[in-house]
Amino acid sequence: MMKIIADSSANITALAGVSYQSVPMTIRAGERDFVDDETLDPHELLDYLASYSGKSGTACPSLDCWLRAFEGADEIFVLTITSRLSGTCASAMAARDVYLQSHPDTKIHVFDTLSTGPEMQLLAERIAALYAMGLSFDVICEKAREYLATTHLFFRLKSLHNLAQNGRVSKLTAGAVGILGIQILSTASSEGTIQPVEKCRGEKKTREAMVQHILDTGYRGGKVRIHHAENPDAAGALAASLRERFPEADIEILPCAGLCSYYAERGGVIVGFETI
């Protein structure tokens, strides 16, 4: 049996045609732990964080969470959030090594996506499609790695508070966002870090700038996956702008789950796309 497993920053809980499992990360704020599984209400999480003034942070899935997810499959593809910003990939690789000691015939490949959210969704969909072609495990891994080199991630945020609080961006950069309607456009760099690319003021200018950066990166009508933290209007407007140029584009919009809601914060929009 084949299985695709991703940490919960991928924002998906099911994938058509294959066995798929989301392994939850955890958001911690004071005495509260928010486990990022199907029971979590991102709206409640964001409301709580808006009223909470103390320190907060995130925790990657435990070794046991991964080990339980591996059970019952003999070909396993694991997708994790970038290792440059999280210990999740290291946790998954440690679990793989432990599992293989007692299940030596199982095949497990861990993809450090160097990204998060919708770019992880694109990779999961591609692996499912490659499996449906009847390809071998090793060939799927090779072609999936090649595909990951053709996908990209941009995001627009109205606040960088949680990213700065957890050392993901500088406090200097974070301080300039949210003032007088300023939003920041950033991308996932090739090294898996957050790379700010432009500051914008206002919804229209921010959307236009994001579309231009997507086009400049080489987008020509391939798949687009848009995830948002309680901002369906902005996500829909971005999709409409892309469809004006590429009417047949395969574009889907999903709400962020807990981990991406925490870091994108309310109003954030994340877009993953392919340039093949």
Side-chain angles (χ1 to χ4, degrees):
M1 174 182 148
M2 173 270 215
K3 194 174 193 180
I4 299 174
I5 303 169
D7 67 65
S8 58
S9 73
N11 297 320
I12 53 176
T13 57
L15 201 58
V18 297
S19 176
Y20 176 88
Q21 185 168 345
S22 174
V23 176
M25 302 177 79
T26 302
I27 300 95
R28 291 175 173 160
E31 300 300 317
R32 291 287 304 271
D33 277 1
F34 295 87
V35 178
D36 192 13
D37 59 18
E38 67 277 0
T39 68
L40 176 66
D41 180 353
H43 180 77
E44 178 190 356
L45 168 67
L46 290 171
D47 276 354
Y48 181 83
L49 291 170
S51 63
Y52 175 73
S53 57
K55 292 281 289 183
S56 61
T58 61
C60 62
S62 69
L63 196 73
D64 285 344
C65 284
W66 289 116
L67 293 174
R68 288 195 298 271
F70 294 162
E71 292 176 359
D74 48 31
E75 293 187 342
I76 303 170
F77 303 90
V78 180
L79 284 60
T80 75
I81 189 174
T82 174
S83 62
R84 294 297 300 274
L85 301 177
S86 171
T88 301
C89 184
S91 173
M93 293 182 73
R96 175 200 62 188
D97 294 344
V98 170
Y99 194 80
L100 290 177
Q101 292 177 14
S102 56
H103 301 78
D105 296 328
T106 301
K107 296 179 180 180
I108 306 175
H109 186 85
V110 179
F111 291 90
D112 177 1
T113 68
L114 299 176
S115 190
T116 191
E119 195 170 0
M120 292 174 67
Q121 180 186 357
L122 287 171
L123 180 60
E125 290 175 355
R126 176 50 64 101
I127 291 171
L130 292 169
Y131 181 76
M133 296 177 190
L135 301 177
S136 70
F137 181 86
D138 290 340
V139 171
I140 291 173
C141 290
E142 178 185 358
K143 290 187 175 296
R145 286 193 296 268
E146 292 173 355
Y147 177 71
L148 192 56
T150 72
T151 61
H152 309 272
L153 188 89
F154 281 94
F155 47 96
R156 47 172 284 189
L157 306 179
K158 295 183 176 183
S159 170
L160 297 178
H161 175 267
N162 291 337
L163 284 169
Q165 182 174 250
N166 288 274
R168 271 57 173 181
V169 298
S170 72
K171 292 184 178 179
L172 183 64
T173 299
V177 179
I179 301 172
L180 299 177
I182 291 177
Q183 300 184 43
I184 192 164
L185 295 183
S186 298
T187 186
S189 72
S190 58
E191 295 80 25
T193 59
I194 296 172
Q195 179 179 322
V197 294
E198 186 174 348
K199 294 174 184 174
C200 305
R201 180 171 293 162
E203 287 292 322
K204 183 179 179 181
K205 289 184 178 179
T206 302
R207 180 175 66 254
E208 290 173 347
M210 178 173 263
V211 169
Q212 191 59 54
H213 280 289
I214 291 171
L215 296 175
D216 290 346
T217 303
Y219 178 71
R220 295 295 180 268
K223 278 187 175 183
V224 179
R225 299 294 179 259
I226 303 172
H227 298 178
H228 66 89
E230 298 199 339
N231 198 350
D233 291 343
L238 175 60
S241 293
L242 291 171
R243 286 196 178 104
E244 286 179 3
R245 295 163 174 81
F246 305 99
E248 303 303 317
D250 177 358
I251 303 175
E252 292 183 6
I253 299 173
L254 288 176
C256 289
L259 193 285
C260 282
S261 290
Y262 173 76
Y263 280 120
E265 300 190 51
R266 184 166 274 139
V269 176
I270 315 170
V271 57
F273 59 96
E274 58 184 25
T275 54
I276 56 175

